[in-house]
Amino acid sequence: MTCPVKAVTVLEAKEVARVLEDHDGFVILSHREPDGDSVGSQLALCSVLRRLGKRAWAVGEDPMPAIYRFLEGSVRLELPSAVSDPQVFVVVDASNIGRVGGLEALKSCAADILNIDHHGSNTGFGRWDYVDPEASACSEQVYWIVQELGVDLTDEEAACLYVGLLTDTGAFRFPNTTSRCMKIAADLVDRGFSAAEVARKVFWEKTLESTRLLGLALSTLEVRCNGQIAIMHVSREMSREARATSSDSDGFPLYTKVIAGVKVGLLFREQDDGGVRVSLRSDSGVNVEKVARVFGGGGHPTSAGCVSPGTLENAKKDVVGEVERLLEREVRQLGKGNGRDSGSR
Ligand SMILES: [Mn+2]
């Protein structure tokens, strides 16, 4: 069952540009546990608004992940305390308001929400909603807004949006890699930054701790369900052994999907504060977001996440069981000849 998007008028980039022009005092927020698309969208939009003479802050509750710090030039990710007298909360790349970091600290401010997102499961929580599940990344939507504002992107801003596209498409490998997104990427590269340099900083500057932890995690890789499901885990003990922090395992979910024949990849990470964070990956055709929802999570059809309160073993048993049921349903549906899931891209 797909959760229906609130029945409101969903704005186009052009109308979003008008909202931005008509207001001042923007706090640009995103989901907790920032990623390339969330910080890229936040920093680029904040920079453009400031160049238009607006007051704007890119605000986060969690620190900027080390691999994206090079994007902080004229604009940095700030704490909610930096904000004064905001008019609009611009929320980027978050499917629901509960995922937004820093909002709790700003709850005394009476500001309207402008919701810019590309998750099909977006709950439409804004006064204005610009939701486009066809967009490969939220950075793509920010790109269209900037076009409508008639502003030329600087190479610094272009690099931020490029990182959003690069990371949300898994370096232009995932099913959301459209020709439209590649045309935007080409236009961004034309602004002057080095695409090779950006890719090196994002993918080839891992910490030693992260690389050691990957070695430990890969040794736990196993397949289930006739090789259709691959599972891997990172225990607290392994993190300790590698002296790794939680962000050191950020790129790991990808490795659950590299084996031929695997339809669904699952990574289980024991959290410091208890519980197990589960990352689900699939190719188009198997909608893992449905599984994440069963456990109170969400995401995209091919990339989703949830948190299981139990032990590592229980989390594996519960989530793998749910994925097996999903695969069985798919086989039955294919048998009936009605093809693929409507929720998939
Ligand atoms: Mn995104």
Side-chain angles (χ1 to χ4, degrees), residues 37 93 118 138 168:
D37 191 29
D93 200 36
H118 67 124
C138 190
D168 261 29

Side-chain angles (χ1 to χ4, degrees), residues 4 26 57 187 238 240 289 291 335:
F26 300 94
W57 302 268
D187 184 43
M238 287 156 63
R240 259 197 304 277
E289 191 197 7
V291 176

Side-chain angles (χ1 to χ4, degrees), residues 31 35 37-38 93 117-119 136-139 164 168 300:
H31 54 78
D35 61 24
D37 191 29
S38 70
D93 200 36
D117 184 37
H118 67 124
H119 293 82
S136 57
C138 190
S139 293
D168 261 29
H300 300 285

Side-chain angles (χ1 to χ4, degrees), residues 156-217:
E156 208 175 72
E157 291 156 0
C160 288
L161 296 182
Y162 184 79
V163 164
L165 296 180
L166 188 68
T167 54
D168 261 29
T169 61
F172 307 112
R173 285 176 292 181
F174 297 159
N176 58 342
T177 308
T178 59
S179 80
R180 186 173 76 167
C181 122
M182 293 182 107
K183 281 173 191 148
I184 295 170
D187 184 43
L188 295 173
V189 173
D190 279 339
R191 311 296 164 127
F193 68 89
S194 160
E197 181 83 346
V198 166
R200 185 180 60 76
K201 284 177 171 154
V202 172
F203 298 117
W204 302 111
E205 283 195 2
K206 304 292 183 197
T207 60
L208 180 61
E209 291 79 9
S210 167
T211 310
R212 285 206 171 115
L213 187 63
L214 177 62
L216 297 174

